[in-house]
Amino acid sequence: MIAAFEYFAPKTVREALSLLAKYKEEAKMIAGGQSILVVMKQRLLTPEYLIDIKGITDLDYIKYDEGKGLRIGALTIHRAIEKSPVIQKHFGVLSEMEGNLATIQTRNWGTIGGNICHGDPAGDPASVLIALKAKLKLASSAGERIVEAEEFSKDYLEVALEPNEMLTEIQVPTPPAHTGTAYEKLMVMKGDMGIIGAAVSITLDSKGGCGDARIALSNAASVPLRAKKAEKVLIGKTINNGLLTKAGEVASTEATPPADVHGSIEYRREMAKVFVKRAAQLALERAKAA
Ligand SMILES: Cc1cc2nc3c(=O)[nH]c(=O)nc-3n(C[C@H](O)[C@H](O)[C@H](O)COP(=O)(O)OP(=O)(O)OC[C@H]3O[C@@H](n4cnc5c(N)ncnc54)[C@H](O)[C@@H]3O)c2cc1C
């Protein structure tokens, strides 16, 4: 059973932040509750104060501007991102990723902010956001700061939020011309947490070579893992099948995946090879067509 707590339901960011400033480590936020209620039921988390931010409608938005890029409010539900026409048009990989995340019920209530702040390295959005060079806006009553999505996860279920801070916005820059991005995850059934996931973004230069590449893996380490050595395999080269295979192999050596009932360390490493190659192939095709 969940331990007793005092409950607050602020309607503004300011109100939520002043509660956080007051109760700090003794407080926890709840957005959709899809992850936090599980850990509270297990008593891995026993906050004295629960701050329910689901009613802060100001943080539920999707805004796009060609210059500024995409801005997603932290309380936007997964389903809204999946179904957003503007995201489908300009950031298709985000919509695709969301379409394979959990069940429709969970997507209809769980928020992108809650997913990222939960800090599960098996989560899908973080890797895709790292590949897209996203930034996160964190707020406290003292002000705001921006962190790279890549810097946000610190360890398993640990993120770079101070006790008085909350995530308010996800910022995704508009990718350069001739960029393609793809996310592939290994699932037993559609909507399962990935046994392994790979997000790859490739930007082609004017001669068709690889000007830039980003590779990030889900469930391959204690944090969403940027595979920088694998990126170097592609950058500056004309990508061919051999290089895609090599990028997958190198990414797999960078991974330190967990072992569980769904797969051993060795199996996940093998699958990292396959899924990095698969995502990179698709990203390349998309970059050529962009
Ligand atoms: C059946 C099931 C299947 C799932 N499958 C997948 C899957 O395939 N892929 C995947 O990626 N995820 C999956 N998930 C996880 C799911 O996506 C997350 O549980 C959900 O997105 C979390 O969002 P939430 O709003 O419910 O967060 P909550 O559970 O309310 O909060 C999670 C954590 O984030 C903190 N938090 C929430 N919002 C903020 C904020 N704005 N600022 C600071 N801290 C905040 C909370 O304090 C808490 O620590 C699955 C979950 C379920 C239940």
Side-chain angles (χ1 to χ4, degrees), residues 122-192:
D124 300 306
S127 298
V128 177
L129 291 172
I130 291 170
L132 289 170
K133 299 185 180 172
K135 295 178 195 297
L136 307 178
K137 194 199 272 185
L138 312 181
S140 73
S141 11
E144 290 178 339
R145 66 183 175 115
I146 303 285
V147 298
E148 301 282 339
E150 184 189 343
E151 303 293 328
F152 190 59
S153 286
K154 294 297 172 195
D155 204 345
Y156 184 71
L157 304 188
E158 273 182 37
V159 294
L161 277 173
E162 295 299 330
N164 63 344
E165 281 183 319
M166 69 183 288
L167 170 67
T168 53
E169 186 177 80
I170 294 114
Q171 305 177 340
V172 192
T174 301
H178 309 299
T179 297
T181 308
Y183 182 63
E184 295 282 333
K185 79 167 169 173
L186 174 60
M187 314 169 260
V188 178
M189 285 197 306
K190 185 175 156 66
D192 279 351

Side-chain angles (χ1 to χ4, degrees), residues 29 31-36 78 102 111 114-115 123-124 167 185 191-193:
M29 296 199 141
Q34 302 295 304
S35 292
I36 194 171
H78 297 291
T111 64
N115 185 295
D124 300 306
L167 170 67
K185 79 167 169 173
D192 279 351
M193 293 293 283

Side-chain angles (χ1 to χ4, degrees), residues 9 16 25 38-39 46 50 56 62 71 140 157 172 175 199 204 210 215 220 222 234 236 264 274-275 282 290:
E25 288 90 351
V38 176
V39 284
T46 53
L50 202 58
I56 305 179
I62 294 169
R71 298 214 179 321
S140 73
L157 304 188
V172 192
L204 296 177
C210 177
I215 300 176
S222 62
L234 302 178
S264 63
V274 175
F275 279 76
L282 185 53

Side-chain angles (χ1 to χ4, degrees), residues 250-278:
V250 172
S252 129
T253 65
E254 293 181 81
T256 51
D260 58 26
V261 67
H262 302 295
S264 63
I265 292 172
E266 294 74 20
Y267 177 66
R268 279 198 166 86
R269 283 226 169 94
E270 279 305 303
M271 290 303 105
K273 289 182 197 170
V274 175
F275 279 76
V276 166
K277 181 175 181 183
R278 206 175 275 181

Side-chain angles (χ1 to χ4, degrees), residues 62 64 66 70 81-96 174-175 179 290:
I62 294 169
Y64 174 70
E66 207 178 323
L70 179 68
I81 298 169
E82 177 193 352
K83 292 288 174 192
S84 158
V86 83
I87 289 182
Q88 286 171 349
K89 181 168 178 198
H90 299 285
F91 297 88
V93 65
L94 276 175
S95 170
E96 286 167 10
T174 301
T179 297

